[in-house]
Amino acid sequence: MRNAAWCIGVLAAAVTLGGCSSPQLAAGTAEPAPTTSSKAVPTSTSAVAPADPVPASTAQCPYLSSTFVEDANGEKVTKVMVSADKPHPACFFYSFGNDKQMTVQVYVGDAGSATALVNKAAPIDTSDKAELPGGWAGGSEATGSGAVYAVSKAGSAVVVSTDQKQTIKAKQVAKQAIAALGL
């Protein structure tokens, strides 16, 4: 905002000092050709989304209780597995029949990679806008197998996938994960 005000002030001063008339060319002089910039403005980043998490061991999720996930998703949690990811493992919550009901992936690192992860999970072109207090933004949408809610802020991202079609369930879990981890 300050830069914009400064630029406007400089522009106003230049107009005032330079007057409103255009410079006159001397007789017989060719008009100079307009100048253009040949530099292209980059439209994409080279940030890469982290790989999809893989369950590595049976353990309790360090930032979400099974009871909270049961209440939020509406299904009994029969097993929990975690990935080997650091500093925060992804948590996989299962229901009867060993069906995965919810996956919660937390990424902390490069801001570009966090944004790429969210866009991979809930593409900006197809998903609904998702926002949480504190500057978290991303997308949410129903998928063929349920729903996803994905948000990022600076170098952190939280992606919640559920076997339920309601994105509100995944949103509640994302909010709890962010609060529990102090992100």
Side-chain angles (χ1 to χ4, degrees), residues 43-143:
T43 57
S44 65
T45 63
S46 61
V48 177
D52 291 338
V54 177
S57 61
T58 301
Q60 290 303 309
C61 182
Y63 49 89
L64 290 169
S65 73
S66 296
T67 304
F68 177 82
V69 171
E70 284 178 354
D71 291 343
N73 207 41
E75 292 181 67
K76 175 82 173 150
V77 173
T78 59
K79 178 173 79 170
V80 179
M81 295 189 77
V82 296
S83 70
D85 298 310
K86 301 289 181 198
H88 307 295
C91 297
F92 303 85
F93 297 89
Y94 295 85
S95 189
F96 296 103
N98 208 27
D99 292 332
K100 191 182 329 170
Q101 65 169 291
M102 184 170 280
T103 301
V104 182
Q105 181 180 13
V106 177
Y107 171 81
V108 176
D110 174 67
S113 295
T115 301
L117 175 61
V118 168
N119 194 42
K120 175 182 163 188
I124 195 166
D125 294 337
T126 60
S127 67
D128 294 325
K129 186 176 182 179
E131 292 180 324
L132 291 175
W136 292 87
S140 68
E141 66 182 346
T143 64

Side-chain angles (χ1 to χ4, degrees), residues 23-31:
Q24 300 296 320
L25 295 174
T29 342
E31 188 170 327

Side-chain angles (χ1 to χ4, degrees), residues 5-42:
W6 182 81
C7 288
I8 291 171
V10 169
L11 183 60
V15 169
T16 302
L17 293 175
C20 292
S21 63
S22 55
Q24 300 296 320
L25 295 174
T29 342
E31 188 170 327
T35 60
T36 60
S37 172
S38 63
K39 289 184 180 180
V41 177

